[in-house]
Amino acid sequence: GAVVSQHPSRVICKSGTSVKIECRSLDFQATTMFWYRQFPKQSLMLMATSNEGSKATYEQGVEKDKFLINHASLTLSTLTVTSAHPEDSSFYICSASARSGANVLTFGAGSRLTVL
Amino acid sequence: QQQVKQSPQSLIVQKGGISIINCAYENTAFDYFPWYQQFPGKGPALLIAIRPDVSEKKEGRFTISFNKSAKQFSLHIMDSQPGDSATYFCAASSGGGGNKLTFGTGTQLKVEL
């Protein structure tokens, strides 16, 4: 089945630094990847839609300069949290849609970011 | 984002019982309704999904009931087991299952022995 890998699974950083999270589709080509953010005991909120080879589309209220998304290949999308602050601490989850085949989203295991 | 309302927020069921979680949506353009199961510290995993051309879908112990006119759908977990204890999210999307999902608020299910 389709597998989406996220790395790192956990990251702790100091306030003001930048952190990059990778999302890879391991056994399929992903035309589109989605980035979600989840606070403790809350739902998943869509941050942005990432299409291979083009600029990401951000949801209303999400700072594009704060959360940089790059989708340079059909198997890799990255989310960079720039100048991180404690309020950016959250669980970030990516999902990918296959280029062909079953029209289903596959989610990664998530990345827990803690900003000190 | 268009809302998907989910209830209850939490649910306690005895082992062997039936767990029922309900969702309601507003956007009539939605045409794909999945349910996800999430364990602490993990990403959501697809349980079962339905499209609006059918009123019910069953896979093992999991059943989705769909009421298009009421814009509601529900998840039934038969013979609930302690291993089913997790958070469940309903979701909806338009244009098929590969498009962005709008999630419900989640239901924390606990199955007691």
Side-chain angles (χ1 to χ4, degrees), chain A residues 46-95:
Chain A
L46 180 65
M47 298 175 65
T49 301
S50 169
N51 292 299
E52 185 266 336
S54 63
K55 290 184 178 180
T57 302
Y58 291 82
E59 294 299 304
Q60 190 174 3
V62 177
E63 300 176 60
K64 60 180 67 176
D65 294 330
K66 174 80 171 169
F67 300 99
L68 301 179
I69 292 173
N70 183 280
H71 192 159
S73 76
L74 284 170
T75 60
L76 174 64
S77 176
T78 60
L79 167 67
T80 301
V81 183
T82 63
S83 186
H85 288 93
E87 58 265 31
D88 299 325
S89 299
S90 188
F91 194 49
Y92 293 88
I93 310 172
C94 72
S95 65

Side-chain angles (χ1 to χ4, degrees), chain B residues 42-61:
Chain B
K42 303 295 183 183
L46 178 66
L47 265 181
I48 186 172
I50 198 168
R51 298 187 188 276
D53 53 344
V54 296
S55 60
E56 186 174 283
K57 183 175 181 180
K58 183 176 181 180
E59 289 184 1
R61 296 186 294 112

Side-chain angles (χ1 to χ4, degrees), chain A residues 2-6 23-28 94-96 106-109:
Chain A
V3 178
V4 173
S5 174
Q6 271 187 254
C23 178
R24 293 182 184 272
S25 56
L26 296 186
D27 49 2
F28 66 100
C94 72
S95 65
T106 301
F107 282 81

Side-chain angles (χ1 to χ4, degrees), chain A residues 1-18:
Chain A
V3 178
V4 173
S5 174
Q6 271 187 254
H7 178 79
S9 58
R10 291 177 179 269
V11 57
I12 300 173
C13 70
K14 293 182 178 180
S15 185
T17 60
S18 294

